[in-house]
Amino acid sequence: MGPPGAGKGTQAKTLAVKLGLAHISTGDILRQNVAKATQLGAQAKEYMNKGLLVPDELVTKMVKDRLSQPDAAKGFILDGYPRNLKQAESLEAILKELAMGIDFVIDLDVDEKTVIERLSGRLACKGCNANYHIKNMPPKKPMICDNCGGALYQRQDDKEETIKKRLEVYRAESSPLIEHFRKENKLQQVFAGGDPEIVLNKIIELVSHDCHKV
Ligand code: AMP
């Protein structure tokens, strides 16, 4: 969890590879649907471009389908879901049905000034969804992904007005989840305003520590 620009995608992708887990990003799946002009993509596009949440029923169905795929059985990192209390309840029901559960919720804690600076310079890869930053994490070749050679682009929702809206939505709808998961004893907060590698190491430390406890 964390506001837009906290580094959820960057951290979740690396962590999933390191821990051998499936990486399930609702934002990535939605963007793939928009790019392929599927029915779901057509329904989601307007909301995404305005910085609003896509309706719960659409996203929850998508998550349920994804979690039912075989690679999720080995464990998964959810990135960008749940985004409100209703989605958290739906997730709990889905996981119960699949005889799975949430081990940890990592909240990436970062101030809004840092987030705005990160999002307004963010570049994403059309091929593999890797993220870069025009100043802080530039690709080796301009506008080309180091990982897959795909073209980099600025996300439609990383424009200034949309960033503001996304932050408002985060404050109003997503931030109450912090208390929700704290009460469930699942929450781990990590300061995410610094170097991504330090953040990653901190997350690994927390997760490994808690894994030993389990
Ligand atoms: P993200 O890549 O996580 O920043 O998500 C980009 C956009 O996709 C969000 O601003 C929403 O419009 C939509 N989205 C992603 N995840 C969700 C979700 N769990 N619920 C509703 N909308 C979502």
Side-chain angles (χ1 to χ4, degrees):
M1 284 192 55
K8 298 186 293 294
T10 304
Q11 297 298 339
K13 275 182 202 117
T14 319
L15 204 60
V17 173
K18 273 194 190 285
L19 303 180
L21 303 170
H23 171 222
I24 303 179
S25 155
T26 45
D28 284 353
I29 303 175
L30 288 168
R31 277 184 291 280
Q32 281 156 14
N33 276 276
V34 172
K36 288 191 203 143
T38 64
Q39 198 188 352
L40 171 62
Q43 286 168 302
K45 192 175 173 180
E46 290 295 300
Y47 296 96
M48 295 172 79
N49 288 347
K50 288 187 186 145
L52 301 173
L53 293 185
V54 173
D56 293 336
E57 317 79 76
L58 296 179
V59 185
T60 295
K61 176 170 184 317
M62 192 179 91
V63 169
K64 188 172 181 184
D65 292 346
R66 181 65 188 86
L67 283 171
S68 310
Q69 286 172 25
D71 68 323
K74 64 188 174 192
F76 52 84
I77 300 179
L78 272 176
D79 161 9
Y81 188 94
R83 272 277 227 286
N84 58 29
L85 287 166
K86 188 153 174 255
Q87 292 184 9
E89 280 166 19
S90 303
L91 177 63
E92 276 150 37
I94 294 169
L95 292 177
K96 202 166 168 197
E97 235 176 77
L98 294 170
M100 295 198 270
I102 301 169
D103 295 317
F104 324 96
V105 177
I106 311 277
D107 178 44
L108 299 179
D109 188 16
V110 62
D111 64 79
E112 287 200 2
K113 192 170 157 273
T114 308
V115 155
I116 291 168
E117 200 263 327
R118 281 182 185 173
L119 291 178
S120 49
R122 175 158 74 177
L123 298 171
C125 174
K126 280 192 177 157
C128 70
N129 299 313
N131 283 324
Y132 296 85
H133 188 279
I134 221 148
K135 271 197 290 190
N136 307 342
M137 216 204 298
K140 291 191 185 111
K141 288 190 202 149
M143 301 309 279
I144 303 286
C145 178
D146 297 352
N147 293 342
C148 76
L152 303 184
Y153 72 108
Q154 186 187 36
R155 276 171 47 174
Q156 183 73 27
D157 58 352
D158 280 345
K159 308 254 154 57
E160 198 179 327
E161 271 318 294
T162 322
I163 293 174
K164 283 190 191 144
K165 187 72 205 164
R166 287 163 68 204
L167 284 169
E168 263 172 46
V169 169
Y170 171 78
R171 269 183 248 121
E173 301 198 41
S174 307
S175 69
L177 287 174
I178 295 178
E179 250 345 276
H180 172 81
F181 287 117
R182 199 196 305 280
K183 279 191 199 134
E184 298 216 332
N185 246 343
K186 302 230 152 95
L187 190 78
Q188 294 282 10
Q189 281 183 304
V190 176
F191 170 69
D195 183 339
E197 214 171 304
I198 297 176
V199 179
L200 179 71
N201 288 337
K202 182 75 194 159
I203 298 173
I204 292 175
E205 192 188 305
L206 284 172
V207 171
S208 334
H209 178 73
D210 274 27
C211 281
H212 294 311
K213 270 199 317 200
V214 172

